[in-house]
Amino acid sequence: MQYLPNGEQMKRADGYTIQTLGVPSLTLMERAASACVEEIQRRGHDLSSICVVCGSGNNGGDGLAIGRMFAQEGLKVTAIMAGQESHMTKEALYQKERFEESGGILGDQFGNEEYSIIIDALFGVGLSREASGRYADLLKAMNGKKAVKVAVDIPSGICAGTGAVLGAAFSADYTVTFQTEKLGLVLYPGKEYAGEVITADIGIAEDPFKEDKEVACALELREYRDLLPVRGEGSNKGDFGKVLMIAGSRGMSGAAYLNALAAYRMGAGLVRIYTPEENRAILQSQLPEAVVTAYDRYDEEEVRLLLDWADVVCIGSGLGTGETATRILRQVLRDVQAPCVVDADGLNLMAGHEDLREYAAGKEVLLTPHIKEFSRLTGKGTDRIKEDRAGALREFVEDARIACILKDAKSLALSPGGRIYVNRSGSAAMAKAGAGDVLSGIVTALLAQGLSCEEAAALGAYIHGCAGEKAAEEKGRYSILAREIADSIGCVIKGWEEEEHEAV
């Protein structure tokens, strides 16, 4: 598991390492500087004219230590002190004195000089207010240079917890971050500003992250593999779950098809689609493996029997928002005893009917909204959500007591009382109609095979992204279709199995 802390969480880990474990702050600073110097040297950059832009905090101290190490090798190094000396930490003051002793050039104006490399050590992870005025002008000037640009720990101006640009931000070619990536380096737009991210282990203890479930994380590949349901040689279709897909509306069969196709590709034993009669023929021809139960009108007893039959339910994709859809969804959320995934129109209906959310609270219900659907659910504007995706998700999940995957370029999954899982797979090629229906089908199939909402959300989002990447390898970033994402699920799992077999 890779922890993805915000700035405050990282500061607590620093404090624990220094105060409880007794590692001096200057020791950590020297390790951080050495890691940056080694990475820069490894890349073979032109080091004829190095500029380090430093603030008054410990990030500035890191920068001054980096400058000193280069200056001690006889290189021309200029350190621009952007912060006030009266505000400098004792560690930064110490590093400033040592930098001057090494023969480095100290200045307070960025000027018009050209540099071969610019190292950003201005703000660090502790920034909590907008970079404005002369700091914004400085960052703009730094970005305007043709030099190689390196950020120390995090690009200045990027919020460590959200990835948001706080007024203005440094645009790095790469970032050397310490101990673990910060959440703001993974989420957009912070990820774009960071460039390539290199993580350097400098000995900061991660014990505080383990104990704090508010610290987000991303799983490693082996952990995803371990979550995959086991398929024993003596098993049958009944062992892998009976899935009820309540999807589609008159003339809208595509979503139901994608739901069911993805569920089968992900290993569900039996899939039944409950859809309007008009969709029967096309679904039976598109996916003959699925059982199609069709309706002309709302039938409470029929829905009850279907709920009794199912091991897991998925409802909402292409369902529509009319009276019949509303009545079916209300009965499902009120009466369902099995795990239930709600997507698309199901989410739009929940946004408009408070009782539907109340029926879902505390049950094994998993919502899969994209940002606009989440905005309708929460009543918050999309811009406000994007300012702090993780915070908005946690607030909603804990208040509603419902698990949720917030779909985005980097999707976030959270169950009540749990830890946020950040999905790092996927690509822009997946920004196509129907991709969300495939995700719902994947997650539903995993629930049918015994995974919890938390496990199915984390693993399902990851497999969905990997399948999208695999489809893009074959079709290109512009041309993949949602069904090709579903069809690539098997290739992803097969690849994992082959890698695991080779490793044994």
Side-chain angles (χ1 to χ4, degrees):
M1 181 183 290
Q2 181 189 13
Y3 295 106
L4 301 170
N6 61 29
E8 285 300 316
Q9 292 159 349
M10 197 67 219
K11 282 184 178 181
R12 287 197 289 271
D14 279 342
Y16 177 83
T17 304
I18 295 165
Q19 296 160 18
T20 304
L21 300 185
V23 180
S25 178
L26 277 171
T27 298
L28 295 177
M29 189 172 283
E30 290 292 311
R31 292 175 184 171
S34 293
C36 289
V37 169
E38 288 171 8
E39 182 61 31
I40 292 169
Q41 290 176 330
R42 184 185 70 80
R43 291 171 180 257
H45 297 310
D46 174 8
L47 301 179
S48 59
S49 183
I50 301 169
C51 178
V52 189
V53 181
C54 305
S56 56
N58 278 0
N59 191 246
D62 293 338
L64 288 162
I66 292 166
R68 182 199 80 231
M69 292 177 186
F70 279 127
Q72 287 172 338
E73 294 184 13
L75 297 169
K76 179 186 175 183
V77 184
T78 302
I80 304 299
M81 293 302 305
Q84 297 180 23
E85 184 168 337
S86 60
H87 293 167
M88 292 179 75
T89 64
K90 63 179 182 180
E91 292 88 354
L93 280 169
Y94 172 81
Q95 295 294 358
K96 174 176 174 289
E97 292 172 2
R98 296 196 64 195
F99 174 78
E100 291 177 299
E101 292 169 0
S102 72
I105 304 165
L106 198 64
D108 59 5
Q109 299 295 322
F110 190 65
N112 295 318
E113 185 174 344
E114 294 298 328
Y115 301 100
S116 61
I117 185 166
I118 296 173
I119 301 169
D120 163 37
L122 187 56
F123 293 138
V125 300
L127 185 66
S128 58
R129 64 182 186 278
E130 286 200 352
S132 58
R134 64 187 183 92
Y135 287 115
D137 292 340
L138 174 58
L139 288 167
K140 182 179 180 180
M142 292 163 66
N143 288 338
K145 298 292 185 180
K146 295 180 180 179
V148 172
K149 300 179 182 68
V150 183
V152 177
D153 206 16
I154 191 168
S156 292
I158 294 298
C159 176
T162 69
V165 175
L166 298 176
F170 183 70
S171 183
D173 294 305
Y174 60 94
T175 297
V176 181
T177 196
F178 307 132
Q179 202 59 42
T180 188
E181 284 188 71
K182 286 66 185 175
L183 185 58
L185 295 175
V186 177
L187 301 179
Y188 288 94
K191 182 175 175 59
E192 290 179 320
Y193 279 81
E196 181 186 354
V197 177
I198 300 92
T199 302
D201 185 343
I202 64 170
I204 297 174
E206 297 189 8
D207 293 351
F209 302 151
K210 297 175 185 177
E211 297 169 4
D212 184 0
K213 284 196 173 181
E214 292 202 0
V215 178
C217 73
L219 297 181
E220 306 288 350
L221 177 55
R222 60 176 177 78
E223 294 173 298
Y224 285 118
R225 284 175 178 163
D226 289 344
L227 286 175
L228 273 176
V230 176
R231 299 181 77 85
E233 293 299 327
S235 56
N236 60 69
K237 67 174 182 279
D239 296 322
F240 304 118
K242 294 176 292 184
V243 171
L244 174 61
M245 292 289 183
I246 304 176
S249 54
R250 287 177 173 81
M252 296 287 288
S253 62
Y257 163 71
L258 292 169
N259 276 169
L261 175 64
Y264 267 134
R265 292 295 191 198
M266 193 59 249
L270 179 63
V271 178
R272 181 188 297 269
I273 304 172
Y274 189 54
T275 193
E277 181 64 44
E278 289 87 343
N279 295 334
R280 181 195 294 275
I282 191 168
L283 287 171
Q284 287 180 330
S285 63
Q286 284 184 315
L287 193 64
E289 296 87 350
V291 177
V292 179
T293 300
Y295 62 89
D296 288 313
R297 57 182 176 77
Y298 172 61
D299 185 330
E300 182 175 357
E301 179 61 18
E302 184 175 49
V303 173
R304 185 188 66 78
L305 291 173
L306 289 170
L307 292 178
D308 289 343
W309 170 86
D311 295 318
V312 62
V313 179
C314 180
I315 183 168
S317 298
L319 189 66
T321 55
E323 180 61 27
T324 297
T326 306
R327 295 175 74 183
I328 292 173
L329 179 60
R330 178 171 285 114
Q331 182 181 350
V332 168
L333 292 179
R334 184 189 66 213
D335 297 344
V336 70
Q337 298 300 312
C340 181
V341 176
V342 184
D343 186 33
D345 285 330
L347 300 168
N348 294 328
L349 287 170
M350 289 183 74
H353 298 81
E354 185 65 28
D355 65 311
L356 297 178
R357 199 166 102 174
E358 292 173 358
Y359 285 134
K363 292 185 175 180
E364 285 186 276
V365 173
L366 174 61
L367 311 185
T368 59
H370 54 58
I371 293 287
K372 285 188 177 179
E373 290 165 340
F374 190 72
S375 174
R376 296 182 196 114
L377 280 170
T378 61
K380 294 182 178 179
T382 55
D383 289 343
R384 184 178 170 194
I385 293 166
K386 289 178 180 179
E387 287 174 1
D388 185 3
R389 295 166 176 82
L393 177 62
R394 185 171 292 282
E395 180 182 346
F396 170 77
V397 168
E398 299 303 341
D399 178 61
R401 293 185 295 134
I402 306 172
C404 186
I405 301 173
L406 179 55
K407 296 183 293 192
D408 201 8
K410 297 298 176 187
S411 296
L412 308 178
L414 178 64
S415 293
R419 191 185 295 275
I420 289 178
Y421 292 87
V422 181
N423 177 51
R424 307 193 68 167
S425 66
S427 77
M430 300 173 69
K432 291 286 181 73
D437 303 322
V438 173
L439 173 62
S440 297
I442 292 172
V443 171
T444 302
L446 292 171
L447 289 168
Q449 294 170 79
L451 271 64
S452 67
C453 282
E454 182 175 62
E455 293 167 334
L459 179 59
Y462 184 72
I463 290 175
H464 182 245
C466 290
E469 292 171 1
K470 183 68 70 175
E473 287 176 11
E474 182 179 344
K475 300 292 184 180
R477 291 172 59 85
Y478 287 84
S479 301
I480 69 170
L481 300 175
R483 64 173 177 266
E484 292 163 345
I485 300 174
D487 287 338
S488 296
I489 294 168
C491 296
V492 171
I493 305 303
K494 184 173 181 287
W496 290 4
E497 291 172 339
E498 289 173 350
E499 289 174 15
E500 192 171 16
H501 179 72
E502 289 172 3
V504 175

